[in-house]
Amino acid sequence: MAISDLDLVQAWKDVLALCKLTSGEQVCLLASDDSNRQVIETARIAIGQMGGILTILTLPPLNGDVALSRDKSGFVGKTALKGNAPALAALKASDLVIDTMLLLFSPEQEAVLKGGARMLLAVEPPEILLRMKPTAEDGRRADIAAARLGRACTLRVTSKAGTDFRCAVGQYPVLRQKGFVDQRGGWDHWPSCLVATWPNEATAEGILVIDTGDILLPFKRYAREPIRLTVEAGFIRAIEGGFEAEFLRSYMDSFDDPDAYAMAHVGWGLHDRAHWTTLGLYDREATIGMDARSFIGNFLWSSGPNNEAGGSRDTPCHMDIPLRGCSLSLDGELVTVDGRVI
Ligand SMILES: [Fe+2]
């Protein structure tokens, strides 16, 4: 359903206020060919009304010929900033960067953040942005979860479907997404609310069962039968089941990259306006699936790169797989029970 410009301008102003945008700050709006025009136009107005000094930076699209789908989150290779010194300089000179093209997992993004700019990713369509617009309460919930995860040494996940997974944590930083970014050098994503970290090297072990109805991203499909994955010493060593397992295995094999099978971020969803069902109601190209990634109580695990956490793996193959009905514990203390945050 269409969203009025007025509502989206107001939503931007609310989010930019949470981002502590102040008059006179340098704001860079990063766009590309597939950026949503209404998102950009309304952001321009909101930034202007709040006194931000606006630069709009349009970069060419990239990776379309090598990605295996049109999903922006499905291929995480080099970005349009690679080798583009003027664009990088503009971003580094900004106080706030709003990314409507999706620059995940790049050394260039790390350089921008290290320079002190704060970055907010916003690539979902207007109606999803509005429904899942962040609040201060989302920030509080994510902060509490991130602090608990930050103290943890071990993470274990079980489910009635057969998942029994464990890993040591603490080697890599905690990823906290709350939907807005209010700290120098911070990065966040509107709309999101989740926490995660990366397993310590070679410690992820056990069984992950993707049950019927669980979601595979970037496939943007609900599994129609269980898939059983065996994880040993940090890597997925077996993917078993029927057609769904064969499809997943074949997709990951197509990258011809052993790092595609590494376990990547693990954590849980905290967004109470995100829904497991949303993906089933949408055209698959109309969303990147933030409902699926962040619905409250999911166990979101992933495979592939860990370079944005400071690791060495930069494979472009990245699966995000939110499981329902899991119980997640940190050092033996439960934080979710059967898919409910406690
Ligand atoms: Fe991910």
Side-chain angles (χ1 to χ4, degrees):
M1 205 162 303
I3 293 298
S4 80
D5 290 348
L6 187 62
D7 285 345
L8 201 52
V9 167
Q10 187 56 52
W12 269 115
K13 288 170 76 172
D14 293 344
V15 172
L16 293 172
L18 286 170
C19 293
K20 298 199 168 96
L21 177 64
T22 54
S23 182
E25 279 198 298
Q26 306 287 334
V27 183
C28 187
L29 193 51
L30 182 60
S32 190
D33 296 38
D34 53 2
S35 294
N36 182 291
R37 298 315 306 174
Q38 191 186 19
V39 167
I40 289 174
E41 294 305 318
T42 52
R44 286 173 58 155
I45 295 168
I47 292 162
Q49 286 186 342
M50 294 177 75
I53 299 170
L54 176 64
T55 300
I56 300 176
L57 183 61
T58 305
L59 296 176
L62 203 70
N63 298 323
D65 55 335
V66 284
L68 295 172
S69 80
R70 294 168 68 177
D71 186 280
K72 290 186 202 183
S73 65
F75 188 92
V76 289
K78 67 178 183 187
T79 73
L81 287 178
K82 195 171 178 68
N84 190 337
L88 196 55
L91 295 177
K92 281 182 175 171
S94 303
D95 299 303
L96 174 64
V97 175
I98 297 170
D99 173 7
T100 68
M101 67 179 291
L102 211 158
L103 281 184
L104 281 179
F105 306 111
S106 66
E108 294 81 11
Q109 175 170 297
E110 286 308 302
V112 171
L113 297 173
K114 281 214 175 72
R118 57 199 194 279
M119 291 184 72
L120 183 69
L121 176 67
V123 295
E124 286 285 30
E127 72 282 4
I128 293 181
L129 294 179
L130 218 58
R131 171 168 48 83
M132 292 170 66
K133 189 182 74 170
T135 64
E137 170 57 25
D138 294 340
R140 196 187 68 86
R141 199 159 55 241
D143 282 343
I144 291 169
R148 179 64 192 90
L149 183 54
R151 291 194 304 273
C153 297
T154 63
L155 180 150
R156 180 160 187 241
V157 184
T158 59
S159 77
K160 293 187 174 106
T163 290
D164 191 351
F165 170 85
R166 64 214 159 268
C167 63
V169 293
Q171 180 179 349
Y172 292 108
V174 170
L175 172 72
R176 178 208 54 193
Q177 295 183 8
K178 58 185 183 180
F180 59 94
V181 59
D182 55 3
Q183 281 171 339
R184 198 178 138 77
W187 180 93
D188 219 293
H189 186 180
W190 175 22
S192 183
C193 192
L194 56 83
V195 291
T197 189
W198 285 256
N200 294 1
E201 288 298 325
T203 66
E205 298 276 349
I207 301 295
L208 292 164
V209 175
I210 302 166
D211 203 4
T212 303
D214 287 332
I215 293 169
L216 295 112
L217 298 163
F219 302 167
K220 298 180 184 165
R221 273 212 326 259
Y222 296 87
R224 286 157 287 186
E225 61 189 3
I227 310 170
R228 181 184 165 92
L229 300 99
T230 305
V231 181
E232 292 169 3
F235 281 78
I236 297 163
R237 301 294 185 194
I239 301 175
E240 297 165 295
F243 160 76
E244 297 283 3
E246 185 188 346
F247 190 93
L248 177 59
R249 216 168 37 230
S250 185
Y251 173 78
M252 294 175 80
D253 273 348
S254 71
F255 287 82
D256 194 23
D257 183 350
D259 282 348
Y261 295 91
M263 285 297 295
H265 57 81
V266 290
W268 65 99
L270 289 165
H271 206 306
D272 58 8
R273 283 101 61 215
H275 301 281
W276 166 65
T277 50
T278 301
L279 199 65
L281 308 171
Y282 259 76
D283 180 282
R284 279 156 69 196
E285 292 196 353
T287 168
I288 64 164
M290 287 313 296
D291 277 272
R293 284 186 182 85
S294 60
F295 70 84
I296 191 162
N298 75 21
F299 166 50
L300 176 65
W301 67 274
S302 74
S303 60
N306 66 353
N307 53 334
E308 87 272 36
S312 59
R313 287 187 288 275
D314 66 349
T315 174
C317 179
H318 179 57
M319 299 294 303
D320 276 327
I321 303 185
L323 304 183
R324 294 173 304 149
C326 290
S327 299
L328 187 152
S329 58
L330 300 171
D331 304 328
E333 183 192 349
L334 285 161
V335 294
T336 73
V337 175
D338 296 337
R340 279 181 305 105
V341 172
I342 57 169

